[in-house]
Amino acid sequence: MNRQSRGPDRARPIGITRRHFLKLATASAALSACTPAASRIVGSLGAEVRPPEESLPGQAVWYASACRLCPAGCGIVVRSVNGRAKKIEGNPAHPLNRGKLCALGQAGVQALYHPDRLKNAVAQTGGRGSRQFEPRQWTDALETLLEKLQSTDPGRIAFLSGFMPDSLYGLVSRWLAAMGAPPPVMFDLSTALDGHAAAAQAASTLFGSPQLPVYDIGRSDVVYSFGASILETWASPAAYGRAFGAFRQSQAGGRGFFVQFEPRLSATAAVADEWVPIRPGTEGFVALALGRIMVEQGLAGAFGRSQAELYRRVDVGRLAELSDVPVETLQRLARAFAEADRPVAIPGGMPTRQSNGWRASLAVHALNHVMRRLGLPGGVYLTPETPVATLPAAPPPDPFTGVQALINRMRAGEVDVLLLHGANPVYELPTTAGLVEAMNRVPFVASFSPFVDDTAVRCDLILPDHTYLETWGYQIVSPGADRPAVTIQQPVVRPLYDTRSTASVILAIAAEMGGPMAEELPWADEMLYLEDSTGALFGSSLSAVGSRTPGEHWATLRQYGGWWTERELHEEPVAVGFSDPSPLHVPGATFDGDPATYPYHLHLYSTPGLHDGRGANLPWLQELPETMTTARWQTWVEINPQTAQHLGVHNNDVVKVISPHGEIELPVVVFPGIRPDVVAVPIGRGHSDYGRYAAGRGQNPVQLLGVVTDPDSGALAWGATRVRVQQTESTYHLARVESLHGEGRERIRK
């Protein structure tokens, strides 16, 4: 039944009355964590985003919403003046980020007011890749899409997305199922680099649940991170950054003990008490060696000794040699971990980028199991589930093998309509995956991107979505919160251009199709869909903010920016994967490229500003210096001083980085914080399109990769490629905050 027929209050365009708004404004004093400015948070007053009647011209109004620039789902408050968004901050009442916000989230206003946003629907009239776009009326564009869908066998329709908000995933999956089409394929480079697919599979194996683990580092006294960039881009940077501050301040003596295992000195490793530059692909070996030492020497107590069978096949000396970590260092670190009161080990994104990543993750989690750190303060929890099972939630993103299966279908001519949302796979996937060739075999491709990015430029039709500051949604927080939490996204400004939210496009298509489709998706607009979906949370006895009526509940969600429980509500993992201990085994990582021809491991990493490339179109983030090298605006290759001397290269010399699958030219940054057998390149630049600030700037190192996968998780082994470095006669002076004048004068004197 159409929601507008449920009484006069449903049809009213403004969701709350003046009297009700005043009551809510008074109730906002209950937000004890809010700053004076943020205490003026209000709910959206309908789709037109009208400021409150009491506000004066020039007076700031704050709207609570959700950040959608990465999958974390942080709560935000947006300062609006005269209907224009001016500033974004973290929502101090939200249990995930508690008022904190990363650089990417701060730059969201630039996405809203970007000069290269599409202002209306467009069709590419000169053929895909021609960049000859002509505006289309929305009625014409929707008729084109509807005709393609109705004339196509539903089994030959495909939907490829990035990490969708839970609200949109629920709508899209319901829509596709009603048509009889396959479910959406979700692939996101950020979550792939973080190892979400492998982490979810490891959690299923070890704990019997695909919920992503939460590492309670804020209450730990020893943290061993195996490649988790907790202070940069991993999982939920704002939440883990806040927890790291608590970790450093709350322990006896004022700080905990933090060790980072990874081949490159990242910003996270730079603040560690100890950085262990292990050989790439040996994270699981180090975890096995630590566990073996603890149980063999009786350091982990009686329970630890009972788990000795897990490490029966472990040769510490051999693993020390393979990982390039001395036995003495392993023994010292094993003792420090075992003697701690609240230790925790974190399998980050780095080990999951190898062909043995899933088994390496199991080996790291075994350390938490042996030390009995599951479900205890300072240990490991599962992401707590909301008390409402009917609230639609997206599953973990598909591994690379899921995307590869879709590419194979397209290449075989089994897909006639391809829809793309929130994904830029032409940029994010290696050329060797064959996506571009496969897309060329699909008769009709449409994108919902608000920008002409690397993938949208290869589409027939673009139906530009609103930015996240102009539309509705919700995200069930996972991972990172200490309690169940749902972040509400609401428009904070009127849509600037003639764009439409993807949810409204789907609802319009469903209404035009009529019949069972219209019955399955009965909502008149996305706001009513969101109100219906989140209405299931009304009346929960665990809610931090009570509401007396469904209408008040909906207004309260928008005012506070979400729903969460009043107290911490952890879900304790049950170690079903260790119930019958059998010896752990981590195979050696395989690498693409002959070591004699390609002597260096390629280490790709994402930066806090650009992340996986989604921030490359925002000049604030292009200008943001990379933390360790201070370089910006370009792509570079980091080389150890010993390696640079061997190759005869210096800072700003341009070299070719060559893999078995391609080559790119990059200026050199001589960086002592990297192993001599590793070269590192940041991800994020090298777009062919995506606006004036991103297109043609830098190189995309993903194009050097092959398609080596982890056979256990199906994830792409992002760290499994070897390269060689070749001199050129060119130089390029990088824009860097760090002064290199001293080095330059030294080179001139020589």
Side-chain angles (χ1 to χ4, degrees):
M1 181 174 63
N2 191 299
R3 288 295 309 273
Q4 287 187 327
S5 65
R6 292 190 180 178
D9 61 318
R10 297 295 184 188
R12 187 178 297 127
I14 299 178
I16 56 180
T17 64
R18 173 187 171 96
R19 178 176 296 179
H20 196 181
F21 171 78
L22 291 174
K23 289 167 62 179
L24 290 177
T26 303
S28 67
L31 289 170
S32 58
C34 290
T35 62
S39 66
R40 296 195 297 273
I41 298 172
V42 299
S44 168
L45 303 184
E48 296 179 354
V49 197
R50 300 173 182 169
E53 297 175 15
E54 294 75 19
S55 67
L56 300 174
Q59 181 180 3
V61 178
W62 294 81
Y63 293 96
S65 189
C67 181
R68 292 304 314 152
L69 292 178
C70 90
C74 289
I76 59 173
V77 289
V78 183
R79 178 174 173 262
S80 175
V81 179
N82 297 337
R84 293 183 63 85
K86 297 290 187 178
K87 187 68 172 72
I88 304 175
E89 296 288 354
N91 184 347
H94 198 284
L96 177 66
N97 53 314
R98 299 287 185 186
K100 309 302 180 183
L101 198 62
C102 71
L104 186 61
Q106 293 277 354
V109 289
Q110 288 203 323
L112 174 64
Y113 297 116
H114 201 289
D116 298 324
R117 276 185 62 187
L118 286 170
K119 298 175 174 58
N120 42 257
V122 296
Q124 193 160 197
T125 57
R128 297 177 192 172
S130 67
R131 297 173 178 81
Q132 297 176 12
F133 294 103
E134 290 189 2
R136 287 287 186 268
Q137 295 290 336
W138 273 100
T139 53
D140 296 337
L142 292 179
E143 284 179 4
T144 299
L145 178 59
L146 180 63
E147 187 275 327
K148 296 293 183 182
L149 293 173
Q150 290 181 323
S151 62
T152 301
D153 180 349
R156 300 176 70 85
I157 297 172
F159 196 107
L160 175 61
S161 79
F163 193 91
M164 285 190 285
D166 290 316
S167 54
L168 184 58
Y169 179 87
L171 194 65
V172 168
S173 58
R174 191 167 180 168
W175 177 56
L176 294 174
M179 279 195 295
V185 175
M186 274 202 310
F187 178 83
D188 179 85
L189 181 55
S190 177
T191 54
L193 294 174
D194 285 350
H196 275 211
Q201 186 169 341
S204 296
T205 300
L206 297 179
F207 312 130
S209 169
Q211 294 295 317
L212 294 177
V214 177
Y215 304 94
D216 189 15
I217 66 174
R219 293 186 288 187
S220 300
D221 54 3
V222 169
V223 175
Y224 283 4
S225 166
F226 291 79
S229 55
I230 58 177
L231 300 183
E232 295 153 272
T233 61
W234 183 71
S236 183
Y240 277 111
R242 181 176 56 84
F244 185 80
F247 165 75
R248 284 304 202 196
Q249 296 173 13
S250 63
Q251 313 304 326
R255 58 188 288 119
F257 180 61
F258 179 48
V259 179
Q260 183 80 355
F261 299 91
E262 62 181 348
R264 174 187 178 268
L265 184 72
S266 64
T268 302
V271 301
D273 297 282
E274 190 166 344
W275 168 50
V276 183
I278 62 176
R279 185 172 282 124
T282 63
E283 293 86 354
F285 294 168
V286 172
L288 288 179
L290 294 174
R292 170 72 179 190
I293 293 169
M294 288 193 299
V295 300
E296 184 179 47
Q297 298 184 9
L299 301 175
F303 180 77
R305 288 193 298 272
S306 71
Q307 303 299 304
E309 180 64 17
L310 292 172
Y311 302 99
R312 179 167 55 85
R313 299 176 182 173
V314 174
D315 182 341
V316 173
R318 175 60 176 161
L319 297 184
E321 179 183 354
L322 292 172
S323 63
D324 201 20
V325 182
V327 172
E328 296 76 13
T329 300
L330 292 171
Q331 290 176 336
R332 175 173 53 81
L333 294 177
R335 188 173 301 107
F337 193 80
E339 292 177 353
D341 293 328
R342 298 179 302 281
V344 66
I346 305 174
M350 204 62 62
T352 61
R353 300 180 196 176
Q354 303 293 345
S355 61
N356 61 359
W358 181 75
R359 293 190 177 273
S361 297
L362 299 187
V364 175
H365 271 300
L367 297 176
N368 297 315
H369 169 67
V370 168
M371 290 300 298
R372 310 195 78 169
R373 301 306 303 151
L374 304 181
L376 296 178
V380 182
Y381 298 95
L382 293 182
T383 297
E385 296 185 3
T386 62
V388 180
T390 58
L391 192 65
D398 292 278
F400 173 73
T401 49
V403 183
Q404 199 170 40
L406 175 58
I407 293 173
N408 292 339
R409 287 182 56 214
M410 291 191 289
R411 187 185 291 120
E414 298 174 2
V415 175
D416 291 336
V417 173
L418 174 64
L419 305 178
L420 297 150
H421 179 273
N424 191 5
V426 170
Y427 175 83
E428 295 175 340
L429 293 176
T431 304
T432 49
L435 175 67
V436 173
E437 175 194 355
M439 286 180 63
N440 290 338
R441 296 183 61 85
V442 179
F444 179 77
V445 182
S447 171
F448 296 98
S449 174
F451 296 91
V452 179
D453 59 27
D454 312 67
T455 305
V457 77
R458 299 178 182 275
C459 296
D460 303 292
L461 182 67
I462 306 179
L463 307 169
D465 200 350
H466 294 326
T467 66
Y468 72 101
L469 296 177
E470 300 168 303
T471 192
W472 299 90
Y474 70 80
Q475 180 66 40
I476 300 174
V477 174
S478 175
D482 59 5
R483 65 198 71 199
V486 180
T487 313
I488 295 296
Q489 173 187 336
Q490 65 174 328
V492 301
V493 296
R494 300 183 185 184
L496 298 185
Y497 306 119
D498 187 21
T499 57
R500 293 194 182 182
S501 69
T502 302
S504 68
V505 169
I506 291 173
L507 290 172
I509 292 292
E512 286 295 322
M513 287 183 169
M517 174 69 71
E519 293 178 4
E520 184 67 19
L521 301 172
W523 302 278
D525 56 49
E526 59 177 333
M527 185 181 73
L528 293 176
Y529 162 69
L530 186 68
E531 185 178 358
D532 244 2
S533 301
T534 57
L537 295 167
F538 172 66
S540 171
S541 60
L542 301 174
S543 178
V545 182
S547 302
R548 293 169 296 181
T549 66
E552 185 177 338
H553 167 74
W554 172 233
T556 303
L557 289 180
R558 292 174 292 153
Q559 182 188 4
Y560 282 79
W563 176 97
W564 43 84
T565 60
E566 187 174 6
R567 65 181 189 278
E568 293 184 18
L569 192 65
H570 295 293
E571 183 175 342
E572 180 176 348
V574 178
V576 296
F578 296 115
S579 58
D580 182 19
S582 57
L584 292 169
H585 172 64
V586 178
T590 58
F591 295 93
D592 194 2
D594 181 6
T597 306
Y598 304 98
Y600 305 110
H601 295 278
L602 178 63
H603 178 92
L604 304 184
Y605 68 94
S606 51
T607 63
L610 303 187
H611 273 237
D612 56 355
R614 67 188 65 199
N617 66 331
L618 306 181
W620 281 356
L621 301 179
Q622 286 279 7
E623 181 70 15
L624 185 68
E626 194 278 321
T627 311
M628 302 307 299
T629 64
T630 74
R632 48 192 174 171
W633 285 107
Q634 264 295 342
T635 311
W636 59 90
V637 57
E638 298 166 17
I639 301 177
N640 181 277
Q642 296 179 22
T643 307
Q645 184 177 16
H646 171 72
L647 294 171
V649 298
H650 304 85
N651 279 309
N652 298 320
D653 288 347
V654 175
V655 298
K656 289 184 179 180
V657 180
I658 306 170
S659 80
H661 308 287
E663 63 180 56
I664 55 177
E665 292 191 0
L666 300 171
V668 168
V669 170
V670 179
F671 182 52
I674 193 170
R675 289 177 55 91
D677 58 349
V678 175
V679 296
V681 181
I683 292 175
R685 296 183 175 92
H687 292 268
S688 62
D689 292 88
Y690 200 29
R692 69 190 69 182
Y693 305 110
R697 190 175 302 281
Q699 301 288 335
N700 182 10
V702 172
Q703 305 312 317
L704 296 174
L705 304 182
V707 289
V708 178
T709 58
D710 180 350
D712 293 303
S713 68
L716 185 67
W718 301 91
T721 300
R722 303 184 70 99
V723 298
R724 69 174 184 267
V725 179
Q726 181 177 310
Q727 285 182 309
T728 72
E729 299 300 322
S730 303
T731 60
Y732 181 94
H733 289 271
L734 284 166
R736 297 176 67 177
V737 176
E738 178 184 5
S739 173
L740 300 178
H741 293 307
E743 180 195 274
R745 288 194 295 270
E746 182 66 22
R747 287 179 59 187
I748 292 172
R749 284 197 296 270
K750 289 181 179 180

